[in-house]
């Protein structure tokens, strides 16, 4: 596995020798490589644990937009409400009242006297409003200051729940695997269209793209380490370059040679 990764990154033309790998080995590699993207997350969480600034800002925005209601407030640590409220933040929800929820959802729920974490309708954590500095709050006020106050209290509760770290790891891995697989399919098709003189069956082109697309994940890995994820397009350029480099290095191959 490691040899295939280093060869695919440093000597893309030599990845042609991996085209005859078994499907089991190729698919295992496909699922393994996106795990690299979890490493920057683990490093970041060890340096700066808790909710990220970007997620906090999203919560503030969503509270301002969709988490306000008349005749709804917390007074002396007790919630009273007439309307259910519900917002989604990435893979979890923040609820007030009793909106309909799916069994597999992760939910931070504001109840009568406590804020509670549920997963699969099972309680995983609970704090009183006093513990999160939310003894009084007016949900009809959607000012930035008031929204930040509520977001800060939710952040305090969030930072005490280990489950969100696991959720973030799954989210990063899932998105990485999705992007990786998408570009593997895309590049295999493009190489079939643009380099038809290399007569390789599509299945072999697909396996080759699995290895050549390692550069995409590696570039994303480096950018995440340095907090430069906004430059992810660099990985796409590198992906195209590696494919054309590998294919240009091939001599004309007859289809029967690789069956």
């Amino acid at each position: 596995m490691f040899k295939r990764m280093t060869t695919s990154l440093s000597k893309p033309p030599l990845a042609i020798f991996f085209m005859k790998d078994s499907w089991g080995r190729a698919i295992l590699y496909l699922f393994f490589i996106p795990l690299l993207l979890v490493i920057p997350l683990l490093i970041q969480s060890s340096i700066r644990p808790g909710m990220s600034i970007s997620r906090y800002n999203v919560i503030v925005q969503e509270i301002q937009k969709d988490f306000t209601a008349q005749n709804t407030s917390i007074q002396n640590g007790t919630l009273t409400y007439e309307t259910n409220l519900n917002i989604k933040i990435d893979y979890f929800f923040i609820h007030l009242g009793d909106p309909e929820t799916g069994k597999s959802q992760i939910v931070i729920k504001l109840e009568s006297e406590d804020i509670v974490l549920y997963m699969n309708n099972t309680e995983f954590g609970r704090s009183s409003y006093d513990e999160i500095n939310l003894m009084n709050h007016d949900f009809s006020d959607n000012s930035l200051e008031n929204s930040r106050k509520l977001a800060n209290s939710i952040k305090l509760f969030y930072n005490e729940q280990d489950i969100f770290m696991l959720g973030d790891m799954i989210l990063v891995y899932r998105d990485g695997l999705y992007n990786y697989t998408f570009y593997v399919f895309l590049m295999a098709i493009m190489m079939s269209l643009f380099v038809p003189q290399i007569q390789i069956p599509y299945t072999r082109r697909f396996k080759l793209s699995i290895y050549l697309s390692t550069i995409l994940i590696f570039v994303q890995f480096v950018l995440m380490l340095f907090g430069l994820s906004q430059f992810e397009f660099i990985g796409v350029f590198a992906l195209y370059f590696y494919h054309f480099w590998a294919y240009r290095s091939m001599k004309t191959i007859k289809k029967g040679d690789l069956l």
Side-chain angles (χ1 to χ4, degrees):
M1 195 78 69
F2 181 75
K3 180 180 179 181
R4 277 161 170 70
M5 181 177 67
T6 55
T7 300
S8 299
L9 289 172
S10 61
K11 300 175 182 178
L14 297 185
I16 185 176
F17 295 110
F18 305 146
M19 285 194 294
K20 288 190 176 182
D21 280 356
S22 67
W23 275 109
R25 188 169 196 170
I27 296 301
L28 180 62
Y29 186 89
L30 179 73
F31 279 89
F32 168 76
I33 290 301
L35 286 172
L36 291 175
L37 300 179
V38 176
I39 297 175
L41 179 64
L42 294 174
I43 295 174
Q44 178 184 356
S45 65
S46 65
I47 297 174
R48 187 184 298 172
M51 182 184 292
S52 66
I53 295 175
S54 59
R55 178 165 292 165
Y56 170 79
N57 289 333
V58 169
I59 291 177
V60 172
Q61 293 170 8
E62 291 299 316
I63 288 173
Q64 275 195 290
K65 184 174 64 174
D66 293 319
F67 211 71
T68 57
Q70 299 297 319
N71 301 320
T72 301
S73 65
I74 297 173
Q75 295 182 349
N76 297 320
T78 301
L79 171 67
T80 58
Y81 66 96
E82 295 180 354
T83 303
N84 295 326
L85 298 175
N86 178 27
I87 55 175
K88 183 178 181 182
I89 310 294
D90 293 329
Y91 56 86
F92 65 93
F93 294 81
I94 300 175
H95 289 175
L96 184 152
D98 296 295
E100 293 184 6
T101 61
K103 292 183 179 180
S104 61
Q105 291 179 354
I106 299 175
V107 177
I108 295 176
K109 186 176 181 181
L110 302 177
E111 297 188 346
S112 59
E113 296 181 350
D114 300 302
I115 182 170
V116 188
L117 173 65
Y118 292 100
M119 186 176 71
N120 298 333
N121 291 330
T122 301
E123 182 177 322
F124 274 78
R126 177 183 293 265
S127 296
S128 68
Y129 291 123
D130 184 29
E131 291 174 312
I132 61 170
N133 300 324
L134 198 66
M135 289 295 289
N136 296 283
H137 185 77
D138 182 3
F139 287 89
S140 66
D141 179 3
N142 69 342
S143 66
L144 179 59
E145 180 181 359
N146 201 51
S147 299
R148 283 178 174 169
K149 174 189 173 185
L150 177 56
N152 285 333
S153 295
I154 292 173
K155 181 180 179 181
L156 284 175
F157 179 71
Y158 173 104
N159 289 346
E160 295 298 320
Q161 314 305 319
D162 295 334
I163 193 173
F164 289 108
M165 183 59 196
L166 177 61
D168 286 343
M169 291 170 61
I170 293 173
L171 180 65
V172 168
Y173 176 77
R174 184 200 67 186
D175 290 348
L177 179 62
Y178 173 82
N179 289 332
Y180 183 33
T181 305
F182 170 78
Y183 279 107
V184 167
F185 273 107
L186 178 64
M187 294 309 301
I189 293 172
M190 289 184 63
M191 293 300 101
S192 297
L193 296 175
F194 297 149
V195 195
Q197 66 272 22
I198 306 296
Q199 298 179 33
I200 304 174
Y202 177 80
T203 55
R204 296 296 172 89
R205 292 180 187 268
F206 182 83
K207 286 182 183 178
L208 179 58
S209 288
I210 288 177
Y211 296 108
L212 292 177
S213 299
T214 304
I215 186 62
L216 176 70
I217 298 298
F218 182 75
V219 170
Q220 290 178 347
F221 166 76
V222 173
L223 292 175
M224 288 176 65
L225 275 179
F226 292 96
L228 300 172
S229 296
Q230 66 271 26
F231 296 106
E232 284 188 358
F233 63 88
I234 296 174
V236 178
F237 285 120
L239 177 70
Y240 285 108
F241 175 74
Y242 266 49
H243 274 77
F244 282 104
W245 180 9
Y247 275 86
R248 283 175 63 89
S249 300
M250 295 182 194
K251 295 180 180 179
T252 301
I253 299 175
K254 294 182 180 179
K255 187 174 182 179
D257 295 337
L258 287 171
L259 290 175

